[in-house]
Amino acid sequence: MIKKAERIEKLPVYLFAQIDKAKREAIAKGVDIIDFGVGDPDLPTPNHIIEALYKAAQDPKNHRYPTYEGMLKFREAVASWYKKRFHIELNPEREVLTLIGAKEGIGHIPLAFINEGDIALIPDPGYPVYRAGVTFAGGIPHTMPLLKENNFLPDLDKIDRKIAKKAKLMFINYPNNPISAVADKDFFKKVVEFAKENNVIVCHDATYSELGYDGYQPHSFLEVEGAKEVGIEFHSLSKTYNMTGWRIGMACGNSDILAGLGSIKTNIDSGVFGAIQYAGIEALTGPQDCIAQNVATYKERRNILVNGLNKLGWDVPLPKVAFYVWIPVPEKYTSAKLCETLLEKCGIVMTPGNGFGKSGEGYIRAALTVDKSRIEEAIKRIGSLKF
Ligand SMILES: *Cc1c(COP(=O)(O)O)cnc(C)c1O
């Protein structure tokens, strides 16, 4: 028996690995599965981005080790995208860092700032990597519940003063996964105040910043005054340009915080394949119509799922961002029980809300990365059941 390190044994089983197992078992039994589980775009990467990769892959310069912090051209493309999109000035040399996907940066940043026993504030429910990264660094995750009565924003005044003073780092994430909640600039201002008062590093995960519906445009944390003094923001090309398989993202903002993350990365990885960075430049600076197309596709799917469930008597709000529907569980069910029933009786995979943290109990998450004909089929199957 090979004994694993405590840091691994302390972790819950990675949520999606668990769901994947149940799904595979059902598929093996011949069930026709409709999978609303993992948020992984089913739409292809736009062609002009693939062409840029193809061209750059043929240049031997790109076959060698990339630079640790990412090529300056990519970081310049990020800076000009930020300026165009958010009207924020970033110094591409010091205020932008290339990542092997946002997950990589999120997982590594606690290693740069958390000492054994330090507290990190994480959202509950939340993307599982916040907890994992903090735990791996020897830190103690302290959850901030995201509740409906607070519009799914953490109530910073409710954080125990002693905890706040001891906290070293805070993760926030808007547009939010799994809730598809939004944050306005007033909230970000409060976060900056809190961070200054308590000397906390803010890590805002803005992976879904480009997915807003019905005219809603998500904000960058860096838009509010003082944000760059206390924090950084993670972005990803994964969800915006259907590039989850490519592995490229970026962290932007405070140069000292980025330098800390950079030192960890220099010692652990060797950067992103140069040809993928060229493809990333094309994604950020080339035609942007694919974003509008994505938004239109997800919006149509969102409407079919939400309106379909509501016609069956459920009570599901329409999300205005991201590609998740956060579905309140009908009475008499728990999150886990509902997911189990949906899988067993309907061949439908959705994710139990409590898998993202205990405040997610009472909800399940559906990712809209499923073709609309399959969503219609899912509604039909759910309609044939009594809940
Ligand atoms: C998908 C996702 C990520 C990871 O993005 P990558 O760039 O593919 O690593 C990070 N944060 C949240 C909230 C996500 O949903």
Side-chain angles (χ1 to χ4, degrees):
M1 174 66 183
I2 295 173
K3 185 117 180 72
K4 292 187 185 118
E6 279 164 21
R7 72 175 64 83
I8 289 188
E9 296 194 328
K10 261 194 261 174
L11 284 179
V13 179
Y14 196 69
L15 179 60
F16 297 106
Q18 217 169 2
I19 291 165
D20 223 46
K21 186 161 167 272
K23 190 176 87 182
R24 268 183 285 130
E25 283 167 6
I27 291 171
K29 277 192 249 157
V31 181
D32 169 33
I33 291 287
I34 305 176
D35 187 0
F36 293 93
V38 185
D40 185 359
D42 56 316
L43 307 163
T45 308
N47 242 319
H48 64 282
I49 300 173
I50 300 171
E51 290 294 331
L53 170 78
Y54 183 67
K55 197 167 142 234
Q58 290 169 318
D59 183 348
K61 278 209 286 295
N62 292 325
H63 301 168
R64 310 193 65 190
Y65 282 122
T67 54
Y68 293 110
E69 65 281 4
M71 61 172 72
L72 185 57
K73 275 192 196 149
F74 175 75
R75 288 177 292 139
E76 282 168 352
V78 170
S80 66
W81 177 79
Y82 247 84
K83 183 150 169 55
K84 209 153 100 191
R85 173 66 177 84
F86 302 114
H87 312 289
I88 294 167
E89 298 279 352
L90 292 175
N91 178 323
E93 299 205 36
R94 288 182 288 109
E95 295 177 332
V96 181
L97 184 65
T98 309
L99 302 174
I100 312 172
K103 182 178 186 179
E104 180 262 305
I106 292 165
H108 280 148
I109 191 134
L111 287 176
F113 297 102
I114 294 281
N115 287 316
E116 193 73 33
D118 280 349
I119 286 176
L121 300 165
I122 63 168
D124 165 25
Y127 180 59
V129 186
Y130 311 136
R131 174 180 291 276
V134 170
T135 307
F136 284 169
I140 301 167
H142 181 89
T143 54
M144 305 182 288
L146 308 184
L147 306 175
K148 187 174 172 214
E149 63 256 36
N150 300 322
N151 297 316
F152 299 108
L153 298 166
D155 186 346
L156 302 178
D157 300 327
K158 282 250 172 77
I159 298 171
D160 186 289
R161 301 280 310 156
K162 279 196 224 109
I163 298 279
K165 283 285 168 214
K166 275 171 70 183
K168 192 75 204 287
L169 202 114
M170 167 195 262
F171 282 106
I172 49 173
N173 167 220
Y174 294 95
N176 179 268
N177 173 12
I179 302 176
S180 286
V182 299
D184 55 17
K185 284 209 254 181
D186 278 343
F187 171 71
F188 288 149
K189 277 182 198 153
K190 281 189 207 146
V191 171
V192 171
E193 265 170 47
F194 178 90
K196 287 191 169 171
E197 200 178 303
N198 298 293
N199 206 10
V200 169
I201 292 169
V202 178
C203 297
H204 180 233
D205 180 354
T207 298
Y208 295 94
S209 69
E210 302 317 294
L211 292 179
Y213 308 107
D214 313 317
Y216 182 81
Q217 283 243 320
H219 292 286
S220 162
F221 171 66
L222 301 179
E223 279 176 67
V224 306
E225 213 183 300
K228 219 196 262 178
E229 291 159 41
V230 297
I232 62 168
E233 183 159 82
F234 291 99
H235 281 276
S236 168
L237 305 197
S238 290
K239 317 286 165 60
T240 308
Y241 302 103
N242 310 330
M243 291 175 73
T244 43
W246 297 57
R247 313 312 304 134
I248 183 162
M250 59 275 198
C252 304
N254 184 283
S255 56
D256 292 332
I257 301 174
L258 292 179
L261 175 56
S263 327
I264 297 295
K265 284 175 58 57
T266 306
N267 285 284
I268 288 181
D269 68 63
S270 297
V272 174
F273 179 29
I276 291 180
Q277 295 188 62
Y278 277 108
I281 295 170
E282 178 60 27
L284 292 169
T285 61
Q288 300 294 303
D289 43 322
C290 61
I291 298 179
Q293 282 163 22
N294 278 352
V295 166
T297 303
Y298 293 133
K299 180 180 162 171
E300 186 183 24
R301 294 172 177 181
R302 173 197 73 166
N303 292 348
I304 296 170
L305 183 63
V306 172
N307 298 339
L309 288 174
N310 287 345
K311 272 197 203 119
L312 297 173
W314 297 45
D315 186 16
V316 185
L318 267 187
K320 56 180 174 182
V321 287
F323 51 46
Y324 302 106
V325 180
W326 190 236
I327 304 173
V329 167
E331 260 177 61
K332 291 181 290 190
Y333 279 91
T334 60
S335 302
K337 188 73 198 150
L338 181 60
C339 286
E340 211 180 289
T341 306
L342 286 172
L343 184 59
E344 271 174 23
K345 300 268 171 63
C346 309
I348 291 171
V349 175
M350 290 188 184
T351 314
N354 61 319
F356 297 95
K358 72 176 194 308
S359 301
E361 179 54 53
Y363 293 88
I364 62 173
R365 189 194 77 171
L368 296 168
T369 46
V370 180
D371 189 72
K372 72 172 180 184
S373 64
R374 299 292 282 166
I375 302 179
E376 283 158 355
E377 167 68 19
I379 293 291
K380 220 188 290 169
R381 291 187 194 175
I382 294 172
S384 68
L385 270 186
K386 278 220 172 59
F387 279 94

